[in-house]
Amino acid sequence: TAPTIRFMVSQTRWIVERVPRLMGRRRSAKFTHDSEDTKFAVASAQYDAPHPALVQVPWCMQSGGNWEEPQQPIVCKIVRDPPERVFLIGPLKSHDAVSGTYKLMAD
């Protein structure tokens, strides 16, 4: 399952978690868990902010029930969708062959 990010009010902590799903022939169900539980958390940042990408705070990884800072720092960034159109222009006359407006195609 894809990871989700949420804010835990009682701990003033942002967490990234991956809750496993039970797959069946006729249905798919998510494990139930307490909203303040971190057993499925993979990363955490202790900060009370409206969005986790607004500040640079240390993110920790859960290891054996303890939160530890990894050697390679974790950064939370806002990722936007790419634009639908791109305009290219170059300073040289030879660039005219590729200058223009391009529409980005789906994968």
Side-chain angles (χ1 to χ4, degrees):
T1 59
T4 58
I5 189 166
R6 67 182 173 97
F7 184 69
M8 296 178 66
V9 177
S10 68
Q11 297 183 23
T12 60
R13 178 184 297 272
W14 283 96
I15 64 167
V16 176
E17 65 184 350
R18 180 171 286 179
V19 179
R21 291 181 178 263
L22 296 173
M23 302 302 287
R25 289 175 46 183
R26 296 186 184 184
R27 61 186 163 85
S28 171
K30 225 177 186 182
F31 275 103
T32 59
H33 69 286
D34 181 13
S35 63
E36 297 301 317
D37 189 13
T38 60
K39 67 181 165 192
F40 297 118
V42 291
S44 165
Q46 185 84 35
Y47 194 75
D48 188 5
H51 194 282
L54 295 177
V55 292
Q56 294 297 320
V57 296
W59 282 79
C60 298
M61 301 288 292
Q62 189 163 336
S63 174
N66 298 324
W67 293 104
E68 300 173 358
E69 286 190 41
Q71 291 178 345
Q72 183 77 21
I74 299 172
V75 179
C76 184
K77 296 181 180 181
I78 297 174
V79 179
R80 294 183 176 89
D81 290 333
E84 291 183 19
R85 297 182 185 277
V86 176
F87 179 73
L88 299 177
I89 190 168
L92 303 176
K93 191 70 171 164
S94 60
H95 295 155
D96 287 347
V98 294
S99 294
T101 302
Y102 293 85
K103 183 176 179 181
L104 296 181
M105 300 175 66
D107 290 340

